Amino acid sequence: MTSDSAIWVYLSASPLFGLTLTLVSYLLAVKLYQTGRGNPLLNPVALSILLITSVLFASNLSYEAYFSGAQFIHFLLGPATVALAIPLFDQFGKLKKVWLPLTAALVLGITVSGFSAYFIALQLGASEQTLLSLIPKSVTAPIAMGISEKTGGLPTLTAVFVVITGILGAILGSTLFKLLKIRDDSVKGVAMGVTAHGLGTARSFQLSPEMGAFAGLAMALSASISPFLLPLVLSFVQRFQ
């Protein structure tokens, strides 16, 4: 066995491999994003997922082995979410003025998201379990998986839909806002947070602190409302089948 092969065997068996792969992949993705002058198609999270998946596939390394190291970054998701309160506090004055339309927008956004996902997939011939897995696609992953499990969907399939939804929202959101001529950062932030959860929030912070703050708020509130609202949406749509 050559020295390079020995190093690879050691690294792939070490928890540090998953951690290193995640950090290097994200740094490369950010560099590509900066080189592309912020092109949404070069979203760093989407590129990181592609890079990591490619390495795992090429090396025949299991996800469990990878996650044994990546879990250290996964742990930071909690503190990072709590840290969203800092930019939100900076926008507290504006938030007090718009809390009523904000609440209405969240309820409407969650409802429309669930309805549209269910009926579009139904018309395309999706199975009942797939339909149930699709309804919480716009909620942050841990909450979405819990909703899916309680309503009869597949939590793992829901997690895939959540990631795809977030990536598409992060890539297409800013372009859609331009087409619709939406200029208010708070409005754009709420739209991104309620439809594209964490990935949409990350993209929002890249564009504007105000947009990111409202996206973080919308993401958190929709995660709180969805477990109560989406089962009601599901029971309603099932009456018309």
Side-chain angles (χ1 to χ4, degrees):
M1 182 180 291
T2 65
S3 59
D4 289 341
S5 299
I7 292 173
W8 170 253
V9 170
Y10 170 75
L11 287 176
S12 62
S14 169
L16 289 177
F17 175 75
L19 178 62
T20 304
L21 176 60
T22 304
L23 294 175
V24 171
S25 297
Y26 187 73
L27 290 174
L28 288 174
V30 169
K31 186 64 178 178
L32 288 171
Y33 176 77
Q34 293 172 340
T35 303
R37 298 180 180 180
N39 189 319
L41 293 175
L42 298 175
N43 182 272
V45 176
L47 290 178
S48 298
I49 292 174
L50 289 174
L51 288 171
I52 293 171
T53 303
S54 299
V55 171
L56 295 182
F57 181 78
S59 63
N60 198 30
L61 189 69
S62 68
Y63 175 78
E64 289 74 16
Y66 157 75
F67 191 71
S68 65
Q71 63 181 324
F72 298 112
I73 294 179
H74 183 264
F75 167 78
L76 295 175
L77 180 61
T81 303
V82 174
L84 292 174
I86 297 174
L88 183 60
F89 179 78
D90 294 335
Q91 304 296 330
F92 189 68
K94 186 171 184 177
L95 176 61
K96 290 192 296 185
K97 300 176 183 178
V98 299
W99 70 268
L100 184 58
L102 174 61
T103 303
L106 286 173
V107 172
L108 185 61
I110 294 168
T111 303
V112 170
S113 174
F115 266 118
S116 61
Y118 189 93
F119 280 115
I120 291 173
L122 180 64
Q123 296 305 312
L124 293 174
S127 67
E128 180 66 17
Q129 200 164 44
T130 300
L131 294 174
L132 297 175
S133 302
L134 260 171
I135 283 184
K137 65 175 179 56
S138 293
V139 188
T140 187
I143 305 297
M145 293 173 71
I147 295 173
S148 178
E149 183 178 12
K150 293 296 183 182
T151 57
L154 289 173
T156 51
L157 184 58
T158 297
V160 173
F161 289 140
V162 168
V163 173
I164 293 174
T165 300
I167 290 174
L168 289 176
I171 291 174
L172 301 176
S174 54
T175 301
L176 186 60
F177 294 142
K178 290 179 182 178
L179 291 174
L180 297 176
K181 298 182 180 180
I182 299 174
R183 298 182 176 86
D184 191 316
D185 282 342
S186 63
V187 174
K188 292 190 286 187
V190 170
M192 289 287 270
V194 78
T195 57
H197 49 83
L199 295 179
T201 300
R203 171 62 177 165
S204 298
F205 273 111
Q206 292 174 342
L207 299 175
S208 157
E210 181 181 356
M211 184 176 173
F214 276 87
L217 174 66
M219 178 185 70
L221 291 179
S222 65
S224 301
I225 297 171
S226 293
F228 304 99
L229 185 58
L230 287 179
L232 295 177
V233 171
L234 175 60
S235 64
F236 182 80
V237 297
Q238 287 180 330
R239 293 179 184 177
F240 295 91
Q241 283 189 265

